[in-house]
Amino acid sequence: MHPALICEIFLKFLRQRTSAIIGLLFIATSGLLAMGPAAAQTASRCDEPVFGAASIAIDQRAATAAEAREAGVDAAARSAFLQVLGRLLLADADQQQFAAAHEYDAFTDFVHIIEEKNLEKRYIATLDFCFDAERVRAALQADGLQWAELQSPPILLLPVWKDPGGASAWLRDNHWIAGWRSEIDSYNGLVNLRRLPHNLTHERRFRGDDLLAGDPIKLAAAARLAGAEQVMVVMAQLDYLGSKRVVDVEARLFDKVGQPITTVITIPKIELDKPDMTQLDMARRMVMDRVEGSWHGANLINSNAAGYLLASLPVANAKQWSDRLDALRQVAVIESVTIRTLDRRGGTVSLALAGSREALQNALASEGLMLIDSGDEISIVAQSAGQ
């Protein structure tokens, strides 16, 4: 079927459902069907990936094909909207409050058809949804909610299991290691998690004992392979207290050259029933909650706590000045940019902020910029110039 005809058919249906779901619908190429984890897939099509949800599956049955399509797309859109809210708003209460007060129709930007099949009484499809970032931000602000939308730098997560038989990061049937692989592959939040695929080369090169010891050479090599800025080693160590099996869990964070940054969390003496691994799942959830909470809290956007910052922008030419201003206007924590002075060497700008200094620094880093406070003056420069 010709792409234009598919577009026309689908748009006709969507207009019947709601006039708010408008925009472009594209047909996926075969190369886009073999994509990685959920978070990476979202980035493929939305202008602002944080406000999108990728590969939402539909398998809906109804009395007619039209009814199946309508019910299926509606349920998928609601699921996608909740996924985006779960990314922006960490607290369940805030997510529920916003979802109860707003319909997804008001924010839908466009829908991308990855694949679809219309049967007599069944609709099967995989769709991507992109929501309009500006409209979502305006509604969050109007509701007085704080949210975060900045994705973290890539973090390589290396789970390690240690028991009396030794330490390993590559056991295939180990509940701790397999659980983390599944968590990373299905995760779609703001923390940019990565993992190394299991193969014989990685198994021999990155031994569990070396990872537990924090070997900087091994950690740096793993970070390079994954293209990660940080590495998190998540260890579960099994021991025995009499007849009881207990596990100590610890997550440690390293930079990309293998130097320790911090211990993220320590969970001691988890009693483990042999047939029941629920406690390990709960520990994994606690680690993720700590990681997500730390990143989310450091990058909150809160229009009710707005402040102002006067900063200089040293530049070498007019194009660099224009590029700097464009980059600043892309930063969500900056509500507005006002030019105060300008000369051939740069200028000064007043930034209206809706977040903390830490949130600003993290957001600038994502644009390749950094904040330098010399005491007498605050400057925003390229990261390469400030290093």
Side-chain angles (χ1 to χ4, degrees):
M1 185 179 289
H2 193 278
L5 180 58
I6 296 177
C7 263
E8 182 180 348
I9 293 171
F10 205 86
L11 280 171
K12 182 178 179 182
F13 155 67
L14 290 175
R15 289 192 195 101
Q16 293 173 348
R17 169 65 183 87
T18 170
S19 61
I21 302 183
I22 58 175
L24 302 175
L25 295 104
F26 303 95
I27 305 305
T29 64
S30 59
L32 293 174
L33 297 178
M35 300 190 70
Q41 293 180 39
T42 309
S44 63
R45 282 172 272 273
C46 299
D47 289 339
E48 300 200 47
V50 168
F51 293 85
S55 299
I56 305 298
I58 303 172
D59 188 351
Q60 183 70 42
R61 298 174 186 268
T64 67
E67 290 175 0
R69 186 189 298 114
E70 180 176 359
V73 173
D74 180 68
R78 293 183 186 280
S79 175
F81 188 51
L82 291 175
Q83 186 180 121
V84 171
L85 292 184
R87 189 179 296 139
L88 303 175
L89 301 167
L90 204 57
D92 290 341
D94 289 345
Q95 298 170 30
Q96 294 167 8
Q97 173 189 330
F98 192 85
H102 302 275
E103 284 292 330
Y104 70 83
D105 300 27
F107 308 105
T108 304
D109 187 11
F110 72 87
V111 181
H112 173 95
I113 306 172
I114 297 178
E115 58 181 355
E116 69 169 357
K117 184 181 295 184
N118 290 282
L119 304 177
E120 184 178 355
K121 296 182 179 182
R122 187 178 182 187
Y123 178 67
I124 303 172
T126 304
L127 307 178
D128 289 352
F129 292 85
C130 294
F131 298 93
D132 187 273
E134 290 303 319
R135 278 181 270 162
V136 175
R137 290 182 187 121
L140 290 166
Q141 184 175 350
D143 288 359
L145 293 172
Q146 300 179 45
W147 75 97
E149 59 182 73
L150 181 67
Q151 288 190 301
S152 78
I155 300 174
L156 172 63
L157 195 147
L158 296 170
V160 181
W161 174 263
K162 184 176 182 180
D163 58 26
S168 176
W170 308 105
L171 296 172
R172 289 188 179 277
D173 299 324
N174 180 267
H175 188 85
W176 178 252
I177 295 173
W180 276 111
R181 289 174 186 158
S182 177
E183 176 76 26
I184 295 167
D185 289 347
S186 62
Y187 179 74
N188 50 47
L190 291 180
V191 182
N192 186 358
L193 295 177
R194 299 185 179 183
R195 70 178 179 90
L196 292 177
H198 184 186
N199 57 47
L200 187 58
T201 299
H202 291 161
E203 187 171 343
R204 289 176 174 175
R205 187 176 184 184
F206 304 112
R207 298 170 55 251
D209 287 331
D210 294 332
L211 301 179
L212 288 185
D215 185 322
I217 295 176
K218 298 295 185 180
L219 294 176
R224 284 194 301 272
L225 281 173
E229 291 296 316
Q230 297 177 341
V231 179
M232 185 162 65
V233 177
V234 188
M235 177 271 295
Q237 180 172 344
L238 176 67
D239 203 352
Y240 290 87
L241 291 177
S243 60
K244 292 183 179 180
R245 303 167 77 239
V246 295
V247 174
D248 293 326
V249 169
E250 184 174 76
R252 291 183 293 159
L253 191 65
F254 300 83
D255 64 19
K256 65 181 180 181
V257 295
Q259 297 304 308
I261 297 175
T262 188
T263 297
V264 176
I265 190 173
T266 300
I267 312 171
K269 301 295 181 288
I270 302 170
E271 291 192 16
L272 196 63
D273 294 329
K274 190 168 186 179
D276 185 7
M277 297 295 178
T278 304
Q279 295 298 325
L280 288 182
D281 296 334
M282 292 176 62
R284 185 170 60 254
R285 186 67 257 162
M286 290 173 67
V287 174
M288 285 302 304
D289 286 347
R290 176 65 60 86
V291 172
E292 283 193 302
S294 297
W295 180 256
H296 211 273
N299 294 284
L300 280 177
I301 298 172
N302 179 10
S303 297
N304 296 324
Y308 292 88
L309 182 72
L310 188 67
S312 68
L313 293 182
V315 296
N317 51 55
K319 183 181 184 305
Q320 198 174 78
W321 170 259
S322 177
D323 290 345
R324 289 281 193 277
L325 291 180
D326 287 344
L328 292 178
R329 289 173 179 138
Q330 295 299 314
V331 174
V333 76
I334 299 176
E335 292 194 322
S336 65
V337 180
T338 304
I339 300 172
R340 295 301 185 190
T341 66
L342 180 61
D343 58 35
R344 62 185 179 83
R345 294 174 298 177
T348 58
V349 293
S350 176
L351 307 178
L353 303 179
S356 66
R357 176 77 69 89
E358 183 180 5
L360 175 62
Q361 290 172 325
N362 289 335
L364 289 175
S366 71
E367 298 290 338
L369 302 172
M370 63 186 299
L371 196 71
I372 296 179
D373 189 346
S374 64
D376 298 328
E377 182 183 56
I378 294 176
S379 303
I380 296 176
V381 300
Q383 288 180 330
S384 57
Q387 290 174 348

